[in-house]
Amino acid sequence: MYTTELGTPDPRAPVPLSKDDSDLVAAFEARVAADEFIEPKDWMPAAYRKTLVRQISQHAHSEIVGMLPEGNWLTRAPSLRRKAVLLAKVQDEGGHGLYLYCAAETLGTSREEMTEALHSGKAKYSTIFNYPTLTWADIGAIGWLVDGAAIMNQVPLQRTSYGPYARAMVKVCKEESFHQRQGYEIMMVMARGTPEQKAMAQDALNRWWWPSLMMFGPPDANSPNSAQSFRWRIKRDSNDGLRQKFVDITVPQAEFLGLTLPDPDLKWKEEKGRHDFGEVDWNEFYAVVRGEGPTAKERMKDRREAWEQGAWVREAAQAHETKRRAKLAA
């Protein structure tokens, strides 16, 4: 997902309510509990709106920043077919970011505000994109593992309580499933290729496995915003529950490839009906959240430069829209 909230304040701080506000809150809570969608023009608590703006904009930022590690391989993909498929995938990710920025804008924020928050470092994006793509096999690992984890996170969001967000997720999840299959197919071809290609696939798996598990966010015990997000139906599954589900699904996929997951503690437990696995290095996770990832500075530099270099396009589009509206009003 690229939706795990990172380093955010607790939205549950008490806010004085008038009787009218209390009645509105009660009606809102009843609608959410009944699994009704909340729409942009509906009344909603300020904390609910704030939580959604933070989560949806962070999700959008992650889609946009996520174009960078793969875009780096567009000119180096090993065949014309691979170039075309990767180009389509990167284009999809850009589209996902636009859907999500639009969904966040329905909550009263602006594209400019969200972009400024990203560029200034106030807003976060998924830590997974602060790791480098060293070989072509990394593109396979990203599709298989990173997009696989994203699907695991995003499918429940099709039932999130905010209507525009839930509806955006329907299209996003369909396209992410294509991305996951594309990555797995790359890994399958490499794992069945030369010894050097299989070694490259194994190396990529070794480097991307643990960051992929980090994508589900910190352990539930250290996720202070989860309780309120569950109550409001913004969040439908726990971080640890989704992480476990991802491990259980991915283990047989790796076995089919003939690759080994880099976790000596990984074991199937018949009595539990699931796998036990090793502890994620949460120190690394929080370091990357703080912007200390291997490519964090590079990612933000690229985003700022792209924003600045694209200013003339935004200005031209705005000028065209101004003329169009003036002509309609005449």
Side-chain angles (χ1 to χ4, degrees):
M1 124 170 154
Y2 313 132
T3 58
T4 304
E5 292 186 80
L6 306 172
T8 56
D10 190 339
R12 295 167 290 169
V15 177
L17 296 172
S18 67
K19 182 180 183 305
D20 288 343
D21 284 341
S22 297
D23 292 342
L24 289 170
V25 169
F28 169 83
E29 297 275 6
R31 288 187 62 194
V32 169
D35 274 337
E36 294 182 24
F37 282 139
I38 304 300
E39 300 296 345
K41 292 184 179 180
D42 294 338
W43 185 91
M44 64 188 75
Y48 176 83
R49 185 185 302 273
K50 183 177 180 181
T51 298
L52 281 169
V53 168
R54 181 169 57 242
Q55 178 167 325
I56 298 173
S57 63
Q58 179 181 299
H59 192 167
H61 297 327
S62 299
E63 299 283 358
I64 297 299
V65 175
M67 299 166 69
L68 297 173
E70 293 179 304
N72 182 46
W73 278 90
L74 284 172
T75 59
R76 296 183 288 163
S79 69
L80 181 59
R81 173 178 174 268
R82 295 296 188 191
K83 286 181 173 68
V85 173
L86 184 57
L87 181 61
K89 182 186 177 186
V90 172
Q91 178 177 281
D92 283 349
E93 305 293 7
H96 298 172
L98 296 180
Y99 304 150
L100 292 163
Y101 282 133
C102 288
E105 285 174 322
T106 66
L107 292 159
T109 190
S110 70
R111 192 79 53 92
E112 289 71 21
E113 289 174 304
M114 290 184 279
T115 301
E116 189 282 328
L118 172 65
H119 292 172
S120 67
K122 289 186 289 186
K124 304 297 183 183
Y125 55 89
S126 179
T127 58
I128 196 77
F129 300 119
N130 283 338
Y131 291 88
T133 45
L134 304 180
T135 71
W136 173 249
D138 287 35
I139 304 303
I142 288 174
W144 171 33
L145 300 175
V146 176
D147 292 311
I151 293 168
M152 198 71 66
N153 273 314
Q154 292 171 356
V155 165
L157 291 174
Q158 295 175 102
R159 297 179 292 112
T160 195
S161 60
Y162 189 57
Y165 193 20
R167 289 188 288 273
M169 284 297 98
V170 174
K171 181 174 175 60
V172 169
C173 287
K174 287 180 180 177
E175 293 178 349
E176 291 290 359
S177 66
F178 151 72
H179 301 165
Q180 196 271 347
R181 290 195 298 272
Q182 171 253 4
Y184 193 71
E185 193 253 349
I186 290 175
M187 295 295 278
M188 186 160 37
V189 169
M190 297 194 74
R192 295 176 179 177
T194 66
E196 292 78 11
Q197 288 172 324
K198 184 173 182 179
M200 188 182 294
Q202 182 65 62
D203 174 66
L205 172 56
N206 292 346
R207 287 183 287 106
W208 288 96
W209 174 247
W210 293 107
S212 295
L213 295 189
M214 295 177 194
M215 284 182 67
F216 298 95
D220 293 334
N222 297 330
S223 185
N225 296 326
S226 288
Q228 185 65 82
S229 290
F230 273 122
R231 180 178 174 182
W232 282 336
R233 304 291 204 272
I234 294 173
K235 190 171 186 174
R236 306 300 298 237
D237 293 273
S238 71
N239 296 352
D240 289 336
L242 288 171
R243 189 167 15 249
Q244 181 70 58
K245 186 177 179 182
F246 176 75
V247 170
D248 291 338
I249 287 176
T250 307
V251 168
Q253 294 174 349
E255 290 173 350
F256 180 79
L257 293 175
L259 301 177
T260 304
L261 293 172
D263 181 358
D265 297 324
L266 183 67
K267 293 181 178 64
W268 172 256
K269 293 294 184 178
E270 190 66 40
E271 66 277 15
K272 298 179 181 178
R274 61 176 175 80
H275 291 86
D276 281 352
F277 56 95
E279 183 69 17
V280 174
D281 184 349
W282 295 112
N283 290 329
E284 177 182 329
F285 171 79
Y286 287 113
V288 179
V289 169
R290 291 192 301 269
E292 299 170 16
T295 62
K297 292 181 180 177
E298 176 187 331
R299 298 286 184 249
M300 279 299 91
K301 176 177 176 292
D302 289 343
R303 283 307 310 148
R304 293 189 193 100
E305 287 180 354
W307 181 256
E308 292 165 3
Q309 293 169 6
W312 70 272
V313 178
R314 297 191 299 276
E315 292 165 2
Q318 184 59 57
H320 174 77
E321 179 63 12
T322 300
K323 288 182 180 179
R324 187 187 71 83
R325 293 186 179 185
K327 185 176 180 180
L328 289 174

